[in-house]
């Protein structure tokens, strides 16, 4: 992956993963769903000037941290801004009693995490240093996911540690030059999109995920029409003795601890849902090129792991099936999840994640700065009340016991339900590891665990808004399109490269997808000098419906009428 000779400040197209986050931000603006926080407590004599210098050097080195996103005719682009756009905030609470100071610090951390980023401005990293006492500080970083991932945090802290040590000693901060920038990766990714190898991987996923019905746990409440992101979490702990047996079983059957834990959880999903076809999502680093290993950026990809548990297999057989599924997925990991969704085009409402509703991952322990002169560094836990999936299990293996959390959508589940799920998972692990040859049906479901005796019905959605009927009184006859419908027809033809048949043509049936939807609404908004939300197209997918929604928005903008509320219909996946 060669570095480019581009100007550091020239606009560059986003990666596929970045493009999806940008679109989601346009679809549901003003939300902190993709904020990535990290915080460390620093006890000892802190050199504040050295800290700022070290952080600033990290931001200078990684262009993605000091960029803004602009819309263009070619799609959303990243524009790098000077490092001066990054200005850390320092909050001094040393004159406040210790208990009150910590309470205020927690409030500031929560506020920083809840504050959304404006993707149109730089930088994509916010830093706050809170002085609790002269020898006690809290350093809080919030980064937008569009500029970082889990791998990025150890990279960031390693560079910060080296920079801080040099600054304290009065030495220049001298770090190895980066071979490429994130923009070079994004350019490389796009240039390889149509390669033969990638097309072969796409063919695998098309076959592997054909006729997919996502595993959906029985919920305490009806799924809302639009995902709110409200979440909570329940802690989970697997004691050291059981963790050791899990690792030993994995070694005996040549599977990783992740595969063993995933296999058990998929058995639990099969029991709770009544489905033998079990699907979960899992993140993978996405750094298949050595050049990108030292970069901060958004490389992580998402794999869909679909396992067939039919036939009441023993757990050893389940391990073999999960191992085969995972290895095949790893071998076909180069297809960006965003491109996979675009290819498979799942239909669903805006209240559910596409392709899977449950995420499962085994993470490394949190990264921390190290070797800071005169400072004792410890992790500072930040509560996370944002849910991206129905259920997300994140486990950590520090070497003895296994710990983690189950994050859940508070709109769907009660806390007690998720606590029972956590306890059921631990009980199932103990049972399966103790007798791995026995059929999985031999496990007795613990009382209180919510299960379904058969595959549950599809999540309830409200009836779709009726399509306009040409025979209905007041509807325009063929060939008598309104001015707004003509504008929509013309814009769709330009963006899609296909001429719609008429006002009943469906944008998504014509090949439309999330990026093209954003382009359409951006062009229509510019033509009408009106801010039109992208979500309007997902609720009004035909020419006539969209034109009607735009006319209502125009009337509201003129003050002549109230804006028409979005109908409670089924929206297409963004």
């Amino acid at each position: 992956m060669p570095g480019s000779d581009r100007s550091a400040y020239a606009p560059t197209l986003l990666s596929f993963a970045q493009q999806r986050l940008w679109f989601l931000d346009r679809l549901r603006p003003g939300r902190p769903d993709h904020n990535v926080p990290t915080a460390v407590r620093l006890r000892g004599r802190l050199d504040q000037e050295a800290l700022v210098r070290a952080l600033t050097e990290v931001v200078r080195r990684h262009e993605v941290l000091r960029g803004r996103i602009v819309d263009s005719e070619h799609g959303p682009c990243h524009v790098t801004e000077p490092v001066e756009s990054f200005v850390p905030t320092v909050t001094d609470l040393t004159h406040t009693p210790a208990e009150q100071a910590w309470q205020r610090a927690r409030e500031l951390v929560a506020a920083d995490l809840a504050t959304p980023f404006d993707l149109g401005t730089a930088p994509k990293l916010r830093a706050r240093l809170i002085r609790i006492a002269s020898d006690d500080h809290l350093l809080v970083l919030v980064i937008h996911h569009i500029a970082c991932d889990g791998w990025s945090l150890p990279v960031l802290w390693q560079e910060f540690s080296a920079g801080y040590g040099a600054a304290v000693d009065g030495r220049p901060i001298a770090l190895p030059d980066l071979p490429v920038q994130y923009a070079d990766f994004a350019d490389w990714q796009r240039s390889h999109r149509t390669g033969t190898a990638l097309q072969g991987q796409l063919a695998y996923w098309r076959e592997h995920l054909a006729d997919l019905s996502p595993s959906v746990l029985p919920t305490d409440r009806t799924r809302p029409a639009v995902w709110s992101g409200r979440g909570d979490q329940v802690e989970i702990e697997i004691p050291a003795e059981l963790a050791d047996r899990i690792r030993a079983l994995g070694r005996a059957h040549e599977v990783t601890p992740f595969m063993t834990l995933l296999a058990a959880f998929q058995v639990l999903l099969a029991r709770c849902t009544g489905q033998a076809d079990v699907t979960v999502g899992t993140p993978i680093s996405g750094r298949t090129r050595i050049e990108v290993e030292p970069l901060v950026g958004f490389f992580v990809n998402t794999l869909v792991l679909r396992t067939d548990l039919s036939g009441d297999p023993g757990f050893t057989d389940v391990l073999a099936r999960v191992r085969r599924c995972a290895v095949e997925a790893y071998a076909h990991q180069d297809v960006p999840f965003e491109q996979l969704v675009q290819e498979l085009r799942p239909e669903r409402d805006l209240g559910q994640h596409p392709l899977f509703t449950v995420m499962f991952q085994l993470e490394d322990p949190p990264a921390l700065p190290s070797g800071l002169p005169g400072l004792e560094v410890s992790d500072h836990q930040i509560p996370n009340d944002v849910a991206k999936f129905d259920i997300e299990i994140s486990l950590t293996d520090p070497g003895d016991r296994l710990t983690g959390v189950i994050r859940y959508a508070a709109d769907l589940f009660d806390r007690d339900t998720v606590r029972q799920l956590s306890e059921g998972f631990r009980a199932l692990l103990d049972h399966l590891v103790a007798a791995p040859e026995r059929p999985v049906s031999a496990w007795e479901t613990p009382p209180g665990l919510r299960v379904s005796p058969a595959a549950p019905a599809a999540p309830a959605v409200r009836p779709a808004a009726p399509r306009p009927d040409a025979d209905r009184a007041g509807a325009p006859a063929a060939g008598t399109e309104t001015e707004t419908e003509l504008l929509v027809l013309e814009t769709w033809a330009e963006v899609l490269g296909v001429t719609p048949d008429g006002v009943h043509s469906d944008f998504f049936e014509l090949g439309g997808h999330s990026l093209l939807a954003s382009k359409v609404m951006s062009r229509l908004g510019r033509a009408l000098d009106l801010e039109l939300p992208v979500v309007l197209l997902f609720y009004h997918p035909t020419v006539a419906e969209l034109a009607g929604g735009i006319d209502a928005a125009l009337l509201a903008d003129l003050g002549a009428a109230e804006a028409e509320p979005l109908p409670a219909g089924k929206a297409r996946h963004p």
Side-chain angles (χ1 to χ4, degrees), residues 46-280:
L46 176 70
D47 187 329
Q48 182 175 311
E49 182 180 345
L51 181 144
V52 172
R53 280 188 60 197
L55 278 178
T56 303
E57 176 63 10
V58 173
V59 176
R60 184 198 67 79
R61 285 169 54 80
H62 299 274
E63 295 175 1
V64 71
L65 291 175
R66 50 190 171 95
R68 58 187 176 91
I69 311 300
V70 300
D71 200 3
S72 75
E73 287 296 310
H74 304 291
C77 291
H78 175 275
V79 177
T80 302
E81 293 294 332
V83 72
E84 287 76 18
S85 65
F86 171 69
V87 181
T89 300
V90 178
T91 303
D92 192 345
L93 302 178
T94 56
H95 300 297
T96 306
E99 185 175 341
Q100 296 178 24
W102 273 109
Q103 177 59 32
R104 178 57 181 154
R106 286 189 287 269
E107 292 172 353
L108 289 169
V109 171
D112 286 347
L113 179 56
T115 301
F117 280 86
D118 177 0
L119 295 186
T121 62
K124 294 296 170 283
L125 180 152
R126 297 194 297 257
R128 182 190 294 271
L129 178 66
I130 304 175
R131 298 190 65 202
I132 306 295
S134 60
D135 60 350
D136 197 358
H137 295 74
L138 194 62
L139 176 60
V140 184
L141 306 182
V142 181
I143 315 171
H144 196 284
H145 201 1
I146 208 167
C148 84
D149 55 18
W151 181 300
S152 299
L153 295 180
V155 172
L156 185 154
W157 284 130
Q158 182 179 14
E159 291 192 359
F160 166 77
S161 301
Y164 181 83
V168 166
D169 293 342
R171 296 179 283 108
I173 299 177
L175 293 168
D177 291 338
L178 296 173
V180 294
Q181 288 288 335
Y182 186 85
D184 300 315
F185 162 77
D187 181 65
W188 172 86
Q189 184 188 58
R190 289 181 175 277
S191 67
H192 285 70
R193 181 181 185 183
T194 57
T196 303
L198 189 61
Q199 292 304 311
Q201 292 194 25
L202 263 175
Y204 163 81
W205 287 112
R206 289 194 201 99
E207 179 180 356
H208 182 64
L209 300 181
D211 302 320
L212 176 68
S213 178
S215 302
V216 180
L217 286 163
T219 62
D220 295 307
R221 285 173 290 281
T222 302
R223 185 179 300 275
V226 178
W227 187 262
S228 75
R230 290 195 318 111
D232 201 351
Q233 63 185 38
V234 168
E235 293 184 357
I236 182 172
E237 179 175 325
I238 298 171
E241 182 274 334
L242 177 54
D244 286 342
R245 288 193 285 131
I246 290 170
R247 298 185 190 100
L249 179 65
R251 288 193 296 270
H253 293 273
E254 299 182 333
V255 298
T256 64
F258 166 76
M259 294 177 187
T260 307
L261 293 164
L262 172 64
F265 185 67
Q266 288 191 311
V267 170
L268 181 65
L269 270 183
R271 175 66 59 88
C272 292
T273 63
Q275 295 173 297
D277 183 6
V278 183
T279 304
V280 303

Side-chain angles (χ1 to χ4, degrees), residues 323-381:
R323 181 182 186 277
R324 181 169 59 251
C325 171
V327 169
E328 288 181 357
Y330 299 156
H332 299 87
Q333 65 173 284
D334 293 330
V335 179
F337 181 75
E338 297 71 27
Q339 188 174 357
L340 183 60
V341 171
Q342 183 176 322
E343 288 284 334
L344 298 178
R345 302 175 60 78
E347 289 194 12
R348 65 168 193 87
D349 62 37
L350 293 177
Q352 183 174 315
H353 196 273
L355 303 184
F356 62 88
T357 64
V358 178
M359 173 71 82
F360 188 93
Q361 58 184 320
L362 181 62
E363 302 178 297
D364 292 328
L368 294 173
S370 60
L372 304 185
L375 290 174
E376 177 186 339
V377 181
S378 59
D379 181 40
H380 179 79
Q381 292 292 325

